[in-house]
Each structure stands twice: as C-alpha cells, then as structure tokens.
Amino acid sequence: MTALSPAALSLRGVSASYGGAAVLRDIDTDIPSGALSAVVGPNGAGKSTLIKAALGLVPSSRGTVRFLGQPLARVRHRVAYVPQQDAVAKDFPITAVQVVEMGRYPHRGWFRRLRAADDEAVADAMADAGVSDLARMPLDELSGGQRQRVFLARALAQHADVLILDEPFTAVDTRTEAALLGILRGLCDGGKSVIAVHHDLRTVSERFDHATLLAGTVLASGPAREVLTSAHLERAYGIPLAASRAET
Amino acid sequence: MSADAMMIIVIAGLLSTGCAILGSFLLLRRQALLPDAVSHAVLPGIVLIFLLTGQRASLVTLLGATAFGLLCVLGFDWLRRTGIVASDAALALMFPALFSLGVLGISRFASGAHIDIDSAIYGDITFAPLRTVALAGVAVPRSLLITGGAALVIVLFVVLLWRPLHTSTFDPEFAETSGLRGQVASRALLVAVAGLAVVAFDSVGAILVVTFFIVPAATARLLTHTLGAMLVVAVTVGWLASWLGQRLAVGFDSSIPGTIGLVSVALLGLALLASRVMRRSRKPATPVS
C-alpha cells in the first residue's frame, strides 16, 4: 500500500435506495489497495448495499465509483466478487469444479472455449482454497465451509487484483474462518486488495488492516484499530447495545 | 400403431423438448408458474384482436396473444427488479391484472360474441394430426411444424446462450459483475418462454404445456448433478411420458393430454423413490479440515 497507488475502491457521492427507501447517503470514501479491508456496521447499515452499488448491482445507485482508479467497465476482469451464500441458487445442479470454472468466464466471455491455461488456473485455485478433492462433488452436498472455499476458489481462478466478498464467514466454523482469512492475507501480501463485508467486530481490529464503519453513511474509515474505537461504535450501534457488543 | 398415433407421440415429444429445456431453467430460477401465468395473461390480446378485426381464431389472434404474453413476462421482470415486491408476488400481480383486463374487455365490448381462451387459442393434441397445412404439396400437421420449429429454436437458443443462462440462473450477481450480461440472457429466456407457451397452447392445449414445462424438469433434477445432464434427462422424460401416455390413453380409451400429464407425474414419483435410494447408498461428503 503506497500513497501513489490508486485506491482499490474509491466512492464519491454514492447514494443508493431500495424500493424508494434510502439505504446509503453521500458516501465518500477510499479503500486502499494491497490491504485486507473490512466493511462493518450494524444490521441495515448498508454494508452489502455499499459493495453492490459499487459493483453496479443496485439500479437506483448514483455517484462515482472507481476501482484501481478506473470505472468498473474498464477493469471488470480485474475485480472478483463472492456474493452472499443466500444470493446463490441453493439446489442448482452443479459440481464444485464447474463453479470454479465460472471464474474464467470474465476472460472468455459468452462463446470462447476454456483453454489449457484456464484449466490450470482452475486447478491451482482449487488447490489454494483446499478443495481439490471436492472437484467432482455436487455443490448441494457440501458443508457451508466447503461451499465458501469453493466460491473463494472461483474468485482466485479469476486472477483478479481486487476481491470483494459479501459476508464470507457466515455459516462457516471458526477453523474455516481462520483458514479463509489466511488465504486472503496471503493475497494481500502478494499485492492484491481484499474487501470483505463483515459482521463480527471481535475479529476486525486484529485480522484486518483497514475498516470502513457504516451506518447509512460512513462514520469512520481508516486503519482498523483506529476505526473500531468505543466512541465510533457507540455512534454506529447506539447505546447500550454498542458498549456490550464492542467489548465482547 | 397408426400413423396418427405416431404423429401425436412425435408432436408431444417435440413440444416436451422445448418445454423441458426452458422449464429446467424456470424451475431452478423459482419461476415455475410463469407458463401458467402466460396462459391467462394472453386473454386481452385475443379480445383486442377480435375488436380490431372481428377474428377470434386466426394467426393474428396468435400474434395478439403473444404480445400480451410478452407484456406479462417483461412486466413481471420489471416489477421484480424494482424490488417493490418479491418475485412470486410480481407474477401474482401481473397475470390477474391482464386476465381481468381481458374479462372486462369481453363484458364491455364483446359480450355478444363467444370468446374465451379455449376457443381462441387452445388446441387439443388429440386432433393435432388432423389440422394440416400443405408443404410442397404434402399435407403436414400444423402442430408438427410449430413444435418441431420451436424445439429447434430452443435448442439453438440454449446452446448459444449457455454460459450467460447457466451462470445467471446459478448466481445472478456474479453473472452481472463478471460482464456476462446475465440480465440480457434472463430477459431473452422470458421472451422464449412466452413465445413457446403461446404457440404450444395453440397446438396442444394448456394442461400439457404447463405439465411439460415443469414435471420433466423436476423429475430430472432429482436424478442429476449437473445442468447439462438435467436437460438431457428432462427431454428424455418428456418423450417417455409422451409415448407411454399416448399408448395408455389409447389402451384405456381416455384423454391423451390428461394421460400424458398423469404419466409425467408418475415418472416424477418413480424418480423421487430412485433419488432416495441413490442418496442412501452414497457416502456423505468428506469434511475438509
């Protein structure tokens, strides 16, 4: 992370609403590149909406969004996204390796066949995510943690520079969470940027470099330890819930 | 087997091919009731064409019906995307609104004429071999051309749009962010469903169309683990139900579409049993540490 490199994600004047109700108002923030960054905040704070708006998934959103200093349309193949598990069709007939192969589609479009280099990227990604032995397994027979690893493998196979994950640690046990965080940390050490929506405040300051605290708008943004202070959390979560949650 | 019996099996099989393929996508997208909704939503189109031309069972009628079928599916898609109501509610809003519009149109402007969906665009597969058109001097059943053409178009459609259709059905947000333009593929799917439903209603009747869209797909889902395999099995189930249903209907002197429908459901029941046995005999997934 240097002062010269453009932010992994930069938002200026971003607003978004669902069904007429404003969820985000005037978001101005930069999430640095080369860092493991968390987007945190209470339920309904607009965490998922923030990243979806950045990715162009919220039709009502307005404002300027830049990934690595460029509009998304120019750097689409450099940005990988892992949606929340709820957003994925649960009973879809698909094997783990087929999910990971989708990570190569941004490079191949609608028609071009996957080549040997793509197969290699898929195999490497599955090995890195620890799911090589699950390749032929139907997705609906995997545990929550195994599924999350498969989706992370799809993002790895994309060879993107920015990875965006929406609640990647729900429905996974603490051991898997630690393993996934280890993989994400490794990516950042290699110069990639990772942005994760996260709800567990306990792990943010120790595991993440950067945090953006949301409650409809950005309450604080910066190094994780400086953002997750009692004063900020009180503003985000309200009293008395804030004090107890912040200290657990 | 008589030539007419064979023709009925082939027409039903061809129809089930298009329906089972599109129906598999609808089932996985939780939009299984879409063809049924289209079957009601076409009424104002039929009434409108009657008011404009005085015709009630012509090619123009089919075009009017198709226009309102498209209005139904695209209106549903738009409502769903606004996020104002959930997906199932969006469908439940669209088709009763259109159907009511058709009923109002009949009672206000055409109460003297006998118009209903059955007489205007709903055919019956039993008589399909008898409605022929001359093709290079040969009398060919109209339904054979329609269902054969539809099956060919649907197969081409899915082969060409495989990647965006597959991806956006599984993970719509990923399909969008990865530049696959999943929304374009999703809309194309809806248009294909509306088009196929209307021409199929005209050829073989509503019950069989709604059955073929969903039951073979649901049967195939129980037996397969990839979408490609699901489509192949769904089409096979459709042809099997067509053949068995026609044979049994002749044997028991019963309704052909009704018997094909019941056979389809019976095959679904068998698949359910088979999938239970398959699951029990397979080892559980090995946990990853």
Side-chain angles (χ1 to χ4, degrees):
Chain A
M1 174 173 28
T2 68
L4 291 174
S5 59
L9 172 60
S10 167
L11 304 170
R12 292 288 173 271
V14 170
S15 302
S17 57
Y18 274 118
V23 180
L24 295 174
R25 297 175 304 276
D26 295 327
I27 303 286
D28 282 307
T29 196
D30 292 311
I31 297 179
S33 59
L36 185 52
S37 305
V39 177
V40 292
N43 287 337
K47 304 184 292 289
S48 294
T49 306
L50 179 84
I51 58 170
K52 284 186 191 173
L55 289 164
L57 294 171
V58 183
S60 66
S61 64
R62 274 174 298 174
T64 308
V65 177
R66 293 284 181 270
F67 285 92
L68 304 166
Q70 310 257 17
L72 179 61
R74 285 222 196 120
V75 287
R76 217 174 258 287
H77 60 286
R78 295 176 65 191
V79 179
Y81 174 51
V82 180
Q84 266 185 50
Q85 286 296 312
D86 288 352
V88 177
K90 283 245 167 357
D91 51 356
F92 193 94
I94 193 166
T95 59
V97 68
Q98 288 179 323
V99 175
V100 182
E101 278 171 359
M102 286 180 178
R104 301 306 299 165
Y105 292 174
H107 301 275
R108 295 282 170 255
W110 278 20
F111 302 116
R112 276 174 293 160
R113 293 175 72 89
L114 299 187
R115 298 181 203 149
D118 297 306
D119 296 339
E120 205 175 307
V122 168
D124 289 348
M126 295 192 84
D128 290 346
V131 288
S132 298
D133 54 339
L134 301 177
R136 305 265 160 228
M137 288 287 291
L139 192 69
D140 60 3
E141 289 181 16
L142 301 186
S143 69
Q146 290 171 328
R147 284 171 67 99
Q148 202 59 54
R149 283 171 182 268
V150 170
F151 281 90
L152 180 60
R154 179 175 74 179
L156 297 177
Q158 203 172 324
H159 289 174
D161 295 311
V162 180
L163 269 79
I164 300 188
L165 306 94
D166 196 352
E167 299 275 12
F169 307 123
T170 30
V172 307
D173 57 31
T174 44
R175 213 162 59 156
T176 307
E177 178 174 335
L180 292 175
L181 269 167
I183 297 168
L184 297 177
R185 171 58 67 193
L187 289 171
C188 294
D189 292 345
K192 313 265 190 193
S193 313
V194 176
I195 303 168
V197 168
H198 195 45
H199 65 270
D200 186 357
L201 295 174
R202 289 170 299 186
T203 50
V204 173
S205 18
E206 47 192 272
R207 302 282 177 83
F208 287 81
D209 305 317
H210 183 276
T212 304
L213 179 61
L214 272 187
T217 187
V218 177
L219 293 184
S221 169
R225 282 177 200 286
E226 293 171 23
V227 167
L228 295 187
T229 61
S230 303
H232 286 148
L233 292 173
E234 247 177 53
R235 275 186 67 201
Y237 287 82
I239 309 171
L241 182 69
S244 61
R245 282 195 67 162
E247 282 158 21
T248 50
Chain B
M1 199 189 314
S2 72
D4 279 358
M6 180 71 88
M7 187 55 71
I8 286 173
I9 294 172
V10 171
I11 290 172
L14 286 170
L15 172 70
S16 74
T17 303
C19 291
I21 292 173
L22 295 186
S24 296
F25 286 99
L26 291 182
L27 187 83
L28 295 171
R29 287 167 179 253
R30 305 192 181 283
Q31 296 171 351
L33 282 177
L34 208 65
D36 196 21
V38 170
S39 76
H40 288 85
V42 295
L43 185 60
I46 296 166
V47 176
L48 190 68
I49 296 297
F50 174 74
L51 293 177
L52 292 176
T53 68
Q55 300 186 48
R56 49 177 191 179
S58 65
L59 189 65
V60 208
T61 308
L62 215 54
L63 289 178
T66 308
F68 276 81
L70 289 176
L71 188 67
C72 174
V73 294
L74 294 176
F76 153 73
D77 190 49
W78 172 79
L79 256 180
R80 193 172 63 91
R81 281 182 205 288
T82 58
I84 298 170
V85 290
S87 190
D88 51 350
L91 194 58
L93 275 172
M94 268 323 282
F95 87 83
L98 288 171
F99 188 65
S100 309
L101 187 68
V103 171
L104 267 180
I106 293 174
S107 61
R108 179 76 182 78
F109 300 110
S111 53
H114 177 71
I115 296 184
D116 59 37
I117 300 183
D118 286 339
S119 64
I121 68 157
Y122 283 180
D124 183 334
I125 196 167
T126 315
F127 308 112
L130 307 176
R131 294 165 76 191
T132 58
V133 289
L135 196 71
V138 183
V140 182
R142 191 172 106 143
S143 299
L144 181 69
L145 295 178
I146 291 177
T147 52
L152 189 67
V153 170
I154 301 296
V155 169
L156 278 177
F157 169 78
V158 169
V159 167
L160 282 175
L161 268 66
W162 177 257
R163 218 172 260 178
L165 277 176
H166 180 240
T167 311
S168 65
T169 303
F170 173 60
D171 187 346
E173 292 182 346
F174 175 80
E176 219 45 50
T177 56
S178 61
L180 282 178
R181 302 175 69 81
Q183 292 192 13
V184 174
S186 300
R187 256 178 232 136
L189 175 71
L190 292 176
V191 168
V193 167
L196 176 63
V198 174
V199 296
F201 291 148
D202 178 56
S203 286
V204 302
I207 279 293
L208 205 50
V209 177
V210 174
T211 304
F212 275 158
F213 262 108
I214 297 312
V215 184
T219 308
R221 176 61 192 103
L222 291 169
L223 302 174
T224 54
H225 292 303
T226 66
L227 183 59
M230 179 176 167
L231 297 186
V232 170
V233 172
V235 169
T236 309
V237 168
W239 278 87
L240 194 60
S242 302
W243 175 69
L244 265 177
Q246 197 280 338
R247 294 284 77 201
L248 286 173
V250 170
F252 290 98
D253 193 20
S254 56
S255 146
I256 294 175
T259 312
I260 294 180
L262 272 180
V263 168
S264 303
V265 176
L267 290 175
L268 175 73
L270 281 178
L272 196 61
L273 281 177
S275 71
R276 290 255 165 98
V277 174
M278 272 159 54
R279 263 178 209 276
R280 218 169 283 167
S281 65
R282 222 193 343 237
K283 286 181 195 162
T286 336
V288 168
S289 55

